[in-house]
Amino acid sequence: MDMYIRIKRDKTTYFIRCKASDKILDIKEKLQELVDKPAKDQRLILPGTGEVLDDSKTLADQKIDTDAVVALTLRKDDNEFEEVNIVRPSDFYQTRDAEGASCNSTVVTNERAGAEIVYGSEECFNHSIQLLEELGFPKGVLPLKDLVECGRVRETGFVWMKQKAPSEHYFEGTKTLVSYGIEVTAYVEKFKMKKMSGIKSKQLFVWVPIVEMSIDGFNGKKMYFKTPMGIGKSFHVTSFMSVEEKEKYEKLQLKDKEVEIKEN
């Protein structure tokens, strides 16, 4: 039967899909690409007891069930292993009653299985900026505040970002007020975020959900936003750029014009 466990190290969590019959060594091999450390340089530990898990035993042998939390430590340069150091959000160790769990919560759990998660304001900010850069978006297009958790499932493209509280941002360049819920989710691919939730734009006196945003390719000049009805609007990409990005963009545009003048 398929299951998942949460592997935690410092402020990062890895959701690992597995089976009860998988050996601890199998889990370490799945982690290898994520942490860039071979299995021999990883140690998996039960946080509650401090027990070091045996590579040759299965998850079932060591009574590790789905949604279990396991701490990860890595071998240091001095050949010693790190001490266990994990962040524990208040809901992390809550017991889940399988019979009482709703269908929606099961869907959410499955949707996030296999995710890499980071916690904390600075770590989440860096994570969100890296994501936007990777997708080809300007850094200011998702001005979320006081982030506490960010997650990404690379296999499916599902991402989420959690704030301490809902927030609003007024984009001066588009004259638009946008609200952001406590959690913003989306499925991402290069130059696009789709199936978005948690974002609304105020149109006259009505808050309209934004379910998709995209940019027209590398060095694109337009960003496009769609509502659930398929109605879209586009704005110049500079409306969502940071000050630094805008300066670089303007310099590039100036150089392009100079080249064009010389060629003519």
Side-chain angles (χ1 to χ4, degrees):
M1 179 179 175
D2 287 343
M3 55 185 278
Y4 73 91
I5 58 175
R6 308 188 192 202
I7 308 292
K8 286 187 62 66
R9 175 176 177 261
D10 194 20
K11 295 182 179 180
T12 301
T13 302
Y14 305 95
F15 277 51
I16 303 297
R17 286 194 181 95
C18 51
K19 295 182 179 180
S21 58
D22 285 349
K23 293 182 179 180
I24 298 303
L25 182 59
D26 298 327
I27 303 301
K28 289 183 177 181
E29 288 174 348
K30 291 181 179 182
L31 282 168
Q32 186 167 314
E33 292 184 6
L34 297 173
V35 301
D36 196 28
K37 288 281 188 179
K40 66 182 180 63
D41 291 335
Q42 303 173 36
R43 180 175 284 172
L44 296 178
I45 301 170
L46 293 179
T49 64
E51 177 187 354
V52 177
L53 300 181
D54 188 330
D55 284 357
S56 64
K57 292 184 178 180
T58 67
L59 295 172
D61 290 338
Q62 298 178 91
K63 297 181 173 58
I64 297 173
D65 298 321
T66 191
D67 200 31
V69 176
V70 178
L72 167 68
T73 65
L74 302 177
R75 193 186 301 275
K76 300 182 293 184
D77 292 338
D78 61 5
N79 209 37
E80 297 294 323
F81 279 91
E82 303 167 329
E83 296 293 327
V84 172
N85 180 27
I86 60 177
V87 174
R88 307 185 185 196
S90 59
D91 64 342
F92 210 86
Y93 287 94
Q94 288 180 354
T95 301
R96 289 173 171 81
D97 184 344
E99 293 181 357
S102 69
C103 179
N104 285 340
S105 65
T106 301
V107 170
V108 169
T109 296
N110 291 338
E111 194 172 40
R112 302 183 189 205
E116 177 181 345
I117 308 176
V118 296
Y119 300 100
S121 178
E122 183 178 352
E123 288 78 7
C124 287
F125 175 77
N126 292 335
H127 177 91
S128 63
I129 292 299
Q130 289 170 6
L131 175 64
L132 292 173
E133 289 179 331
E134 182 181 328
L135 298 178
F137 289 137
K139 296 178 183 178
V141 75
L142 277 180
L144 302 178
K145 300 176 182 177
D146 296 324
L147 287 167
V148 295
E149 178 183 312
C150 289
R152 182 179 186 182
V153 184
R154 293 184 181 273
E155 184 179 348
T156 63
F158 181 70
V159 300
W160 72 90
M161 288 160 270
K162 288 184 180 179
Q163 308 180 101
K164 285 184 179 178
S167 64
E168 293 182 355
H169 182 82
Y170 184 74
F171 289 94
E172 187 66 39
T174 65
K175 307 299 181 186
T176 306
L177 180 64
V178 179
S179 73
Y180 302 92
I182 288 180
E183 181 173 77
V184 172
T185 71
Y187 283 87
V188 302
E189 58 189 67
K190 192 68 173 178
F191 307 127
K192 182 182 288 187
M193 279 189 168
K194 57 187 179 181
K195 297 182 181 179
M196 300 173 70
S197 70
I199 303 178
K200 294 180 180 180
S201 172
K202 195 166 189 179
Q203 306 295 325
L204 296 178
F205 302 104
V206 180
W207 286 101
V208 180
I210 301 299
V211 297
E212 184 177 303
M213 68 179 184
S214 60
I215 188 169
D216 53 3
F218 184 70
N219 286 335
K221 295 183 178 181
K222 290 280 189 178
M223 285 209 63
Y224 303 89
F225 300 85
K226 287 185 180 180
T227 70
M229 300 297 292
I231 300 172
K233 281 191 174 183
S234 65
F235 301 98
H236 200 278
V237 68
T238 53
S239 300
F240 309 98
M241 286 182 173
S242 64
V243 174
E244 181 183 0
E245 285 179 309
K246 194 173 291 187
E247 288 177 353
K248 288 182 179 179
Y249 181 86
E250 289 172 351
K251 286 180 181 178
L252 286 173
Q253 294 300 304
L254 184 59
K255 284 184 179 180
D256 289 344
K257 286 183 180 179
E258 290 174 351
V259 170
E260 187 177 340
I261 291 172
K262 287 180 181 179
E263 289 178 348
N264 293 333

